Amino acid sequence: MSDTSNPSDKLFGWLWRSYLKRFTPYLLIALMFMILEGSMLGALSYIMRPMFDTVFIAGNETAIKWVALAIFGIFACRAVSAVGQKVTLAYIVQKMAAALRTDLLAHIMRQDGTFHQTHPPGFLIQRVQADVMAINDGWRALIMGAGRDFITLMVLMGVAVSVDWKWTVVALIGAPVVLAPTRLVQKFVRRRAREARDLGAKLATRLDEVFHGIVPVKLNRLEGYQSERYGQLTDKLVKAEVRAHAGSAVVPGLIDIMSGLGFVGVLVYGGSEIIAGDKSVGQFMSFFTAIGFAFEPLRRLGAVSGQWQIAASGIERLRELLEMEPSMRSPANPKPAPQGTPEIALRDVTLAYGDTTVLKGASLFAEAGKTTALVGASGAGKSTIFNLLTRLVDPDSGSVTLGGVETRDMTLEDLRGLFSVVSQDAALFDETLRENILLGRTDVSEERLQEVIEAAHVADFLPQLSDGLETPVGPRGSSLSGGQRQRVAIARALLRDTPILLLDEATSALDAKSEAVVQDALERLSKGRTTIVIAHRLSTVRDADKIVVMDAGRVVDEGTHEALLAGDGLYARLHDLQFKTSGQTADKAALARQGRRRKKSATKAKDSSHHAAPSLLSRIFARLSGR
């Protein structure tokens, strides 16, 4: 983590080394334009002297032309240089912002699941968008201040000194008024800017939650509640932003006070010299113009301090993000991924999230090329198994192997290249249907794509779309139904053609008709692959080669559907509960189990009755004996 107390020069040094340095040639071009633009104000103030003394007072008509041409040349040169530096800086700003945002997104996507649990999307969006923009505004103001405004100030001060150095000293008599409180103002602005960034992130998070949950918001009539909560955050943001901008405005305000003192001093001191004939009107006008022009870049330089403090708070945040290293990394000396279709084995795996233990010595084996189903109540640890296999998390103890190779011993790219995943919530993007299937791949022929959409039953609904495969699917695939989104996810998995398939409640949210179509596509997809299925509806895993029953982080039973029903264990009880709830009659195995349970209960009751009387007599005898 970066030290947030780092001074501004260190923050700018990091920004320079990491991003700005690569644009050095363009920065030099922009700097040349800025120097040219800045020096023109000095030239304009300098020409005031001959314009007044030679033309207006001496009445030299021949000098009018060259003075006029000189003034026009100054403005033309200033115009060209201003356009040049603005265009060049705009190019650097956009290129750097693109590079910084791309790096941030790539780095954020490499972070572990725990990172994303503690950093909500709105917070990260604020970092990638608003903070990068604030940084660009800050360094651009700093570069322009160091280039155009500083050069302008130096040239104008040079003109002023050339007229009279004493007048210049008098004009700057209020400088201590500006310098003294500047450091305190900088610290105040940075604190307020950081506070505003935090509140901006909370606002972005709130918007993200509201827009993604707009249906439950409407159904529960939460519009007023959400508006009120958002309004409260907005009020806090307004206060923080106003304080930050107030602090930023203090230094330019102090410079205005200094300017006023300087003008008064020069007018009183210099005016008497002009009246006495020691100085000409042209000299005074040249000096007065130079000093007048100088206060504007001086004000901008004062404002740069506040702008840079706002940018510095953003740089601190981005450095913190970019310096966060994911704990889940590829090994230094990786082993090659297993070839062919591997088996999957978990041996005595324990895993805890914080103080909550999720897996407690879980062990299971999934045969290569066969389907293994994971069933159990919510919280039993089924989804955690998927996270372990793909190394979204690592076990605290025990081993996870694919084809005999530990998952930790493979590179993350090789490991995750073994899996295709179809889950209940198919992740679609606001792109065309074709792009959502291909996901950027350019090595897929049109023939292969047609095979995939036929096998995944995507072709069934293509005629309903206005532009077929070129139809945009909307944000998160909102223009498609749940069953259609699932078929797109299956098409992706078919294209990946990986040896291991993970199915996480892939049909649980579908109606009967859609489920039948999707289930058919999944059966085609799972052929020849090591498949692991998570399912709550036991009817969908009847035909699995093996069913693993989990409870409270442990594997408590395993076998085929028929064997587990006959075993009268947790699976059988879950089966009876689901069929009873759905209004279906229990099958023969369920009836037999009920009979066995009644028989056991009767035997237990009988045994209890045999022991009940002696127990009662014993108590009576003990009571009498006590008397």
Side-chain angles (χ1 to χ4, degrees), residues 600-613:
K600 287 180 181 179
S601 299
T603 302
K604 185 176 181 180
K606 184 177 180 181
D607 291 342
S608 298
S609 66
H610 282 305
H611 293 290

Side-chain angles (χ1 to χ4, degrees), residues 537-600:
R537 288 195 294 188
L538 304 185
S539 60
T540 61
V541 296
R542 285 174 177 269
D543 298 327
D545 296 294
K546 182 166 67 173
I547 299 172
V548 175
V549 185
M550 299 189 67
D551 184 39
R554 293 185 174 90
V555 174
V556 297
D557 207 351
E558 60 181 40
T560 63
H561 173 74
E562 291 76 13
L564 290 171
L565 282 181
D568 197 22
L570 177 60
Y571 181 83
R573 292 195 295 275
L574 289 172
H575 184 272
D576 287 352
L577 180 63
Q578 286 192 15
F579 273 76
K580 181 179 179 181
T581 303
S582 62
Q584 300 181 24
T585 58
D587 57 16
K588 292 181 179 179
L591 291 172
R593 286 195 307 280
Q594 292 174 4
R596 287 197 297 272
R597 283 198 288 270
R598 285 196 296 269
K599 185 176 180 180
K600 287 180 181 179

Side-chain angles (χ1 to χ4, degrees), residues 451-470:
E451 290 175 7
V452 164
I453 64 175
E454 289 286 347
H457 291 285
V458 173
D460 296 352
F461 66 84
L462 272 183
Q464 304 170 20
L465 304 180
S466 58
D467 297 314
L469 285 173
E470 309 307 323

